[in-house]
Amino acid sequence: MLMVVKKMKKNISGNLGLLGGYFKLNLSSAMEYRTSFLIQTFGMFLNNLSFAFFWWLLFERFSSIGGYGFRDVMLLWAFSSAGFGICFILFGNITRLVEMIIKGELDSYLLQPKNVLLNTIASKTNISAWGDLLYGVILFFLVEGFSFMGAGLFIYFSITAAMIFAGVLVTANALAFWFGNISSLAGLAFEFLITTSIYPADIFQGVIKFMLFTVLPAGFISMVPVRLVSDFDAKWFFLLTLAAVLWVILAFVVFFAGLKKYESGNLMVQKM
């Protein structure tokens, strides 16, 4: 048992070191072209800001939408933007997974003595995602004000949102191991997560609302965090944490199960 625990600690430490190394490398590469970095970052920030202006105009006419006020919708945007930003700053290659799988571009990662999934998705960053993260941070503290409790909850929920974004997108893209080019389906899952995570939960009904907390869990990205910031509930906090962890586990399971098919496929090609 002690050996298993030590091995797990070593794996976790190694994976965190890998992510930290890629983060520094990607950031230093991006900062070589500072003007481009700033333009993309603040361009995305201003793009998101335009939506805040749209919601402000809307709430000038309506006191609430789906039971949500202006503050609540801004918090939805804050958690969704920050989670999205963290996810794509760290894992910029996620949206290319389908292409990499069907084109055989995973070969070089398989030769390296590192976690294949993390090595693949963390090897690139999305510069504009810094704008999403910056927007989320500023928006949250403008709406909520600063407190140590609020800051702690915001950091925690932003991380869980990033975990869910990454888990769902890796799982969706990894289906390419079995079904080939499913970029349209993976893109649809991506758009669904983003779109539904920035709208009040109560405007969705029936099957769509069920999906928000199961198959494509946008509800755990922003809707549950907004509820917890307003009225903390230990049960929902636990469910949110569980959802984030389970989606990460599912992503690893699906990816590595598919990777076995990818390896055997390559071997067949080589033999031919």
Side-chain angles (χ1 to χ4, degrees):
M1 182 66 179
L2 185 60
M3 291 296 292
V4 174
V5 172
K6 286 183 177 179
K7 187 176 181 180
M8 288 179 62
K9 289 176 66 176
K10 184 178 180 181
N11 287 337
I12 293 173
S13 177
N15 290 335
L16 290 176
L18 176 65
L19 291 180
Y22 267 128
F23 175 78
K24 292 178 182 177
L25 177 63
N26 289 330
L27 181 59
S28 63
S29 297
M31 293 305 292
E32 288 183 7
Y33 305 95
R34 294 188 181 184
T35 302
S36 176
F37 177 85
L38 292 173
I39 289 174
Q40 292 187 61
T41 298
F42 286 102
M44 183 55 68
F45 179 89
L46 292 174
N47 177 72
N48 290 342
L49 190 61
S50 67
F51 287 100
F53 179 69
F54 162 78
W55 280 106
W56 177 76
L57 289 177
L58 198 60
F59 279 104
E60 283 292 295
R61 297 193 60 184
F62 304 97
S63 59
S64 68
I65 298 174
Y68 280 54
F70 180 70
R71 166 191 172 274
D72 300 315
V73 173
M74 290 301 96
L75 287 179
L76 289 176
W77 272 86
F79 287 120
S80 183
S81 296
F84 179 93
I86 293 171
C87 176
F88 283 92
I89 287 170
L90 294 177
F91 310 121
N93 246 357
I94 283 183
T95 54
R96 290 196 63 246
L97 263 183
V98 171
E99 180 184 352
M100 297 176 76
I101 291 169
I102 62 178
K103 290 185 176 181
E105 294 180 11
L106 296 181
D107 293 356
S108 59
Y109 298 99
L110 290 169
L111 297 174
Q112 301 175 31
K114 300 172 183 176
N115 184 289
V116 180
L117 175 56
L118 291 180
N119 196 20
T120 301
I121 63 177
S123 59
K124 288 188 178 180
T125 189
N126 186 324
I127 295 176
S128 64
W130 284 97
D132 291 293
L133 177 57
L134 180 65
Y135 178 77
V137 171
I138 292 176
L139 187 60
F140 178 83
F141 290 110
L142 279 177
V143 172
E144 282 294 292
F146 181 82
S147 70
F148 288 107
M149 177 63 76
L153 289 175
F154 176 73
I155 292 170
Y156 186 83
F157 295 146
S158 297
I159 292 172
T160 56
M163 291 169 65
I164 293 171
F165 267 123
V168 173
L169 295 177
V170 167
T171 301
N173 281 273
L175 294 177
F177 284 119
W178 290 274
F179 304 111
N181 190 352
I182 58 162
S183 55
S184 296
L185 178 63
L188 185 63
F190 178 58
E191 293 297 332
F192 181 92
L193 273 183
I194 294 175
T195 302
T196 54
S197 68
I198 55 177
Y199 283 93
D202 291 342
I203 70 173
F204 302 104
Q205 300 296 327
V207 175
I208 299 297
K209 192 165 186 177
F210 175 77
M211 291 175 65
L212 292 180
F213 294 92
T214 52
V215 183
L216 292 170
F220 288 109
I221 290 174
S222 57
M223 298 169 192
V224 173
V226 170
R227 175 186 296 185
L228 290 172
V229 167
S230 302
D231 183 18
F232 189 84
D233 184 316
K235 180 186 72 176
W236 277 104
F237 182 84
F238 171 76
L239 289 174
L240 171 61
T241 303
L242 181 63
V245 171
L246 288 179
W247 272 104
V248 170
I249 292 174
L250 180 62
F252 274 91
V253 169
V254 173
F255 180 85
F256 282 101
L259 194 60
K260 295 177 181 178
K261 295 179 66 67
Y262 177 87
E263 289 178 316
S264 62
N266 279 353
L267 289 173
M268 289 175 63
V269 172
Q270 289 174 3
K271 288 179 181 178
M272 291 174 66

